[in-house]
Each structure stands twice: as structure tokens, then as C-alpha cells.
Amino acid sequence: MTTAGSRWGRAAGSRSGSNWQERPYIARSLSLASARKIAAKGGAVGLWTVRVRGDPAYPVHNVRSFADEMVRMGELVGTKHVAFGTDMEGAGPGPILANYVDLREVADNLVQRGMSEAELHGIFIGNYARIVKQAMAGAKP
């Protein structure tokens, strides 16, 4: 997990520890305060698709509610600071997205909610690409 205090000044965070007593996939979620710190530094927060279906402790249970969460995070930190969390391999049973093909359905849901082409591009690749480009420009050989 990279934090907002990254040595290059930008961060891409997808999760971090919060409470070791929580279920592992919930305990690793970022708090809103952490997400806002990452966004304030120009970074992005990746939304994880590994929520287990049917768990009442988290409101994301299907592709539609995952898209809802992306919209909500965009409203909280700005869509330039939201990204798709890509670690689907080894997610365990019942992930929200079974494979990368399911991203099409997420994108379709976001379009139905009025998300622009530029915002979609940012969430699915552009925001991470911007951060990596900025980090590489600041890195010393």
C-alpha cells in the first residue's frame, strides 16, 4: 500500500489496514479520511471488487452496486482520484466481478448514471497512468 506521503508526492492506494478484528477484506479498506488525503496529494483510490456477495457489513453485492460505489467515491474525492482496483486473481469465493470481461457491465452502468467518457477513461486507466507518469518523471536513476 502506498500512502499519501509517497516519496514522489503522488499515491495510488487500494486498501490499507484499519482494524485487525474486522473480516480481512473489510479491515483492509481505506477510511474516507485516508482516501481524501490520497486525493489531496493528486493520487487515486482503487475500488476493490473482492467483496463477498451477501455480506451485510458491506453494501456492494453486485455489478450495479459496485458501479454505485464508484459514483459515490467520485462524489466524495472527485473522479480524477478514483480508479478500478485490479487485483482479481486469488480473490476467493464470490467476488463481485469474476473476470475482467465484467468491466464492460460496470462501464455500462456508469454510462447509464451519466458518467462522461473522460471520467470513464480516468477510472479505468487514465488516473493510474497519470500517477505512474508523474512518479517516473520525479524518480532519479
Side-chain angles (χ1 to χ4, degrees), residues 47 66-74 82-84 106 110 123:
L47 277 83
F66 180 73
D68 289 341
E69 187 67 3
M70 291 192 122
V71 169
R72 185 181 79 84
M73 284 304 297
V82 176
F84 168 71
V106 175
L110 293 172
I123 286 173

Side-chain angles (χ1 to χ4, degrees), residues 102-121:
D102 293 340
L103 286 175
R104 176 76 260 162
E105 190 176 348
V106 175
D108 290 344
N109 273 269
L110 293 172
V111 168
Q112 290 170 2
R113 289 164 173 77
M115 192 165 283
S116 73
E117 193 70 31
E119 289 172 314
L120 283 173
H121 180 266

